[in-house]
Amino acid sequence: DMYLDSGTMTLVLGPPASGKTVFLQAVSGGLRGWDNDYFVEGLYFNRLGHDSSHLVKKNIFSYVDGTDVHIPQLTVKQTLEFAFECQHKGDSKAHAEMIMKALGLSHVADTVVGDALIRGVSGGERRRVSVGEMWAVNTRVYIGDRISDGLDSASTLDLVKALQIWCKSVGVTICVSMLQPPPEVLEYFDQVVMMDDGHAVFIGRPQEGKDILNQYGIETPSAWNSGY
C-alpha cells in the first residue's frame, strides 16, 4: 500500500515511458474510459473512494502536466491573480506577490507569459508559472508532472525548496515527477516512488533505495545520483 499523507512530499522517478505520467494521472483522478468511468480502483481520499459523489475533486486536486498552457497575453502577475480569483475571494494581489517571491518570478512580474508566437518569459520561468498557477488555486493535493523540465539544477533546487516550505507550512500533499533530477533535491522529499515499465518497483524513503541496492550487492559510488 502507498500513502500520501498531508504535509508530505513524494517524488516519482523513472526513465522515459516508465509510467510516471499515468501514475500521476491515476492519483489525481485523471484516468477515465470512454464511459467516463475511472480506470483505477483502490484509491481513497480520507477514506472516500475516488468515485464518491461526496468528493469534489476540483476543490482537492491540482494537476500540472508536462506542457505549459497559459493565456499568452497575460503577465505573470495577472496569470497568478486570475488563477486565485477563479477559486477564492480575497486579496489576489498579495497572494500572487507571495508566490512570485517564493518561485523567483518577481523580476518578471510584469512580463507577458508568452507562447510560441508571442515573446515572453523563458521556458524555465514559464514552467514555474505553471507551478505557481496551481499553487494559487490552493487545493489540498498538488500533482505535478515533469516539474523540472526547462530548469537548470539551481532553479530546480530553488523550486523544490519553495514547494517544501509551502508543503510544511500549509500542510498540503505534494506528489511530483522529475526526469534525472539533481541529487540534492532528494533530501527534501519524504517519499520516493521508482517506476519501471508501468510498475512501482520501489516505494519508500530516498535513502532506503540505495540501501536495497547495496543489499543485492550493487555498490553505489559516493557521487551516485539516485534520480537516474
Side-chain angles (χ1 to χ4, degrees):
D1 293 341
M2 175 183 173
Y3 298 91
L4 299 176
D5 296 323
S6 60
T8 62
M9 293 178 58
T10 298
L11 176 62
V12 183
L13 297 172
S18 61
K20 299 188 297 296
T21 297
V22 174
F23 173 82
L24 293 176
Q25 288 176 341
V27 171
S28 64
L31 286 181
R32 292 178 179 272
W34 294 108
D35 55 358
N36 210 35
D37 288 336
Y38 288 104
F39 283 145
V40 190
E41 294 182 356
L43 187 61
Y44 298 90
F45 182 83
N46 286 350
R47 298 183 180 179
L48 290 176
H50 233 60
D51 56 351
S52 172
S53 60
H54 299 288
L55 191 61
V56 184
K57 299 174 186 64
K58 69 176 183 178
N59 296 335
I60 298 174
F61 298 95
S62 291
Y63 180 81
V64 176
D65 62 15
T67 58
D68 300 308
V69 180
H70 303 284
I71 302 175
Q73 295 86 355
L74 293 183
T75 66
V76 171
K77 185 177 181 181
Q78 290 170 338
T79 299
L80 298 179
E81 289 174 353
F82 179 69
F84 179 83
E85 291 167 359
C86 283
Q87 293 280 4
H88 307 282
K89 296 180 180 179
D91 190 353
S92 60
K93 295 185 182 298
H95 203 77
E97 291 287 350
M98 180 271 294
I99 294 174
M100 288 188 294
K101 183 177 180 180
L103 296 179
L105 294 170
S106 299
H107 65 292
V108 292
D110 298 319
T111 304
V112 296
V113 176
D115 59 9
L117 300 177
I118 300 176
R119 184 174 181 179
V121 297
S122 68
E125 290 166 342
R126 191 174 296 120
R127 177 92 287 231
R128 279 179 278 168
V129 172
S130 297
V131 173
E133 196 173 20
M134 293 299 99
W135 188 337
V137 174
N138 200 25
T139 51
R140 300 305 304 165
V141 181
Y142 170 80
I143 309 294
D145 189 18
R146 292 160 39 198
I147 64 168
S148 60
D149 281 15
L151 302 180
D152 58 25
S153 296
S155 298
T156 298
L157 184 59
D158 289 340
L159 174 60
V160 171
K161 288 180 179 178
L163 288 176
Q164 188 195 47
I165 293 173
W166 177 39
C167 173
K168 302 303 181 182
S169 60
V170 183
V172 298
T173 301
I174 294 178
C175 183
V176 298
S177 72
M178 296 185 193
L179 182 63
Q180 299 180 350
E184 295 83 6
V185 307
L186 291 178
E187 64 182 85
Y188 294 93
F189 288 90
D190 304 285
Q191 183 174 228
V192 169
V193 178
M194 295 184 181
M195 302 290 299
D196 184 51
D197 196 24
H199 300 279
V201 297
F202 171 79
I203 301 174
R205 294 186 297 107
Q207 181 58 35
E208 291 176 349
K210 186 176 180 178
D211 293 341
I212 290 176
L213 289 178
N214 292 335
Q215 289 177 9
Y216 282 94
I218 303 175
E219 296 185 3
T220 55
S222 58
W224 178 67
N225 184 354
S226 54
Y228 282 77

